[in-house]
């Protein structure tokens, strides 16, 4: 039975290989696509409904977790004898450690798998309230943020979706890119509302905003207040000595470089 490919562009196995090869991580499949007789995606089902997929998941986790490996071998590799909640706890631990990447299938175009993806985030990813961001003292009382996604808008130019680690960012302010050491001007800030961008006057610590006007900011870049340019003498040492900044500025190559629309 073809679970994994009913369409040329619907190769789940291919996506798993891409995640493994590009991000250099161990992917685990959380759910599976469900198709009707016409080959159309109509829903998703949990990976625990397919013994083959569940076995692959447990074996992937067992390689990284000795306790699960011992339990798996103790039960003679019989998946049904391992409690599902134990597997989930093990998966959550490894995901939070960054050793495993969950893969959730679905389609935003037809509205399939969206709720399951949101539930995955709630169940497996750490709460922002429980995450402590440790920044160098020189950055704690000033603006510091990271760009987690950049895109090109025909009217507004480069748009940078960013999270503010500390301080407060406002339109018409200046920031310095720690990667390029260049000071850039923030033209406007926007709040994302589905597919709309709503102007906002300020974004504080922990907030998510869209920045326009910064031409050289890219995904993974960390920016700080331009006023710190004279206070930070060695930016490279500052980044390398701080685990938060170092991890943020280290990311894999993009999965694709551009999209051409007719």
């Amino acid at each position: 039975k073809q679970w994994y490919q009913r369409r040329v562009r619907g190769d789940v196995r291919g996506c798993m290989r891409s995640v493994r090869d590009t991000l250099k991580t161990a992917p685990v499949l959380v759910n599976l696509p469900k198709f009707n007789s016409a080959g159309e995606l109509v829903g998703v089902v949990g990976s625990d409904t397919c013994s083959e997929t569940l076995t692959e998941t447990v074996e992937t986790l067992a390689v990284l977790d000795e306790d699960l490996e011992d339990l798996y071998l103790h039960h003679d590799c019989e998946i049904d004898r391992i409690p599902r909640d134990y597997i989930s706890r093990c998966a959550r631990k490894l995901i939070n450690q960054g050793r495993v990447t969950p893969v959730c299938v679905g389609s935003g175009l037809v509205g399939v798998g969206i709720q399951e993806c949101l539930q995955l985030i709630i169940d497996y990813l750490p709460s922002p309230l429980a995450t402590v961001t440790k920044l160098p003292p020189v950055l704690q009382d000033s603006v510091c943020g990271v760009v987690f996604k950049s895109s090109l808008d025909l009217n507004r130019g480069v748009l940078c979706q960013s999270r503010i680690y500390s301080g407060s960012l406002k339109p018409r302010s200046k920031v310095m890119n720690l990667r390029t050491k260049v000071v850039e001007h923030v033209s406007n800030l926007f709040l994302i509302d589905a597919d709309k961008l709503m102007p906002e006057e300020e974004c504080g610590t922990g907030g998510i905003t869209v920045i326009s006007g910064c031409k050289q900011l890219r995904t993974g870049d960390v920016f700080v207040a331009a006023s710190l340019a004279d206070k930070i003498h060695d930016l490279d040492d500052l980044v390398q000595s701080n685990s938060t900044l170092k991890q943020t500025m280290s990311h894999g190559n993009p999965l694709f470089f551009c999209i051409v629309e007719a």
Side-chain angles (χ1 to χ4, degrees):
K1 188 174 182 179
Q2 293 291 333
W3 278 97
Y4 300 107
Q5 187 172 4
R6 294 293 185 89
R7 299 173 57 186
V8 175
R9 293 177 294 176
D11 187 1
V12 177
R13 288 298 188 186
C15 292
M16 297 281 284
R17 289 193 298 271
S18 179
V19 171
R20 182 182 298 107
D21 297 340
T22 304
L23 302 181
K24 308 302 181 184
T25 184
V28 290
L29 194 58
V30 178
N31 54 22
L32 300 168
K34 182 180 180 181
F35 301 94
N36 61 17
S37 58
E40 299 172 334
L41 181 65
V42 295
V44 296
V45 294
S47 60
D48 56 352
T49 61
C50 177
S51 59
E52 178 184 354
T53 303
L54 183 60
T55 300
E56 292 178 2
T57 298
V58 171
E59 290 178 349
T60 299
L61 299 176
V63 171
L64 303 173
D65 187 279
E66 292 184 359
D67 293 335
L68 179 60
E69 181 182 27
D70 292 341
L71 184 63
Y72 184 49
L73 296 176
H74 177 73
H75 290 306
D76 299 324
C77 302
E78 295 183 14
I79 298 297
D80 293 337
R81 299 176 65 183
I82 302 178
R84 296 294 189 268
D85 59 340
Y86 185 87
I87 298 174
S88 297
R89 290 197 303 270
C90 179
R92 189 180 194 280
K93 179 181 69 174
L94 293 174
I95 290 170
N96 291 339
Q97 293 174 351
R99 304 170 68 189
V100 165
T101 299
V103 177
C104 184
V105 303
S107 171
L109 182 62
V110 297
V112 171
I114 306 303
Q115 187 61 45
E116 289 79 3
C117 182
L118 294 176
Q119 191 62 47
L120 167 70
I121 294 174
I122 295 173
D123 293 340
Y124 289 96
L125 300 187
S127 168
L129 299 177
T131 303
V132 179
T133 302
K134 297 181 179 180
L135 296 175
V138 70
L139 300 180
Q140 290 179 358
D141 297 327
S142 184
V143 174
C144 179
V146 60
V147 179
F148 59 85
K149 181 179 181 180
S150 58
S151 58
L152 180 63
D153 185 273
L154 295 179
N155 298 319
R156 300 184 177 97
V158 177
L159 297 178
C160 301
Q161 297 184 31
S162 310
R163 180 187 178 190
I164 306 302
Y165 279 155
S166 65
S168 179
L169 184 65
K170 298 180 180 180
R172 297 173 295 281
S173 58
K174 296 181 181 180
V175 297
M176 181 176 63
N177 188 335
L178 290 187
R179 175 178 59 85
T180 62
K181 319 299 190 292
V182 172
V183 174
E184 300 204 55
H185 296 264
V186 176
S187 297
N188 294 288
L189 299 179
F190 299 96
L191 178 67
I192 302 177
D193 183 11
D195 59 346
K196 299 178 182 179
L197 295 179
M198 312 296 291
E200 63 177 346
E201 294 301 321
E202 185 177 4
C203 183
T205 302
I208 301 294
T209 189
V210 177
I211 300 174
S212 68
C214 297
K215 299 180 181 179
Q216 297 187 38
L217 278 180
R218 296 294 183 268
T219 303
D221 284 349
V222 174
F223 57 86
V224 298
S227 59
L228 295 177
D230 297 333
K231 299 180 181 180
I232 304 177
H233 302 290
D234 196 327
L235 295 175
D236 293 331
D237 287 346
L238 177 68
V239 172
Q240 293 300 320
S241 62
N242 184 263
S243 58
T244 299
L245 298 180
K246 184 177 180 181
Q247 182 178 6
T248 298
M249 299 184 71
S250 302
H251 55 86
N253 295 324
L255 300 181
F256 58 87
F257 294 92
C258 66
I259 298 176
V260 179
E261 297 184 358

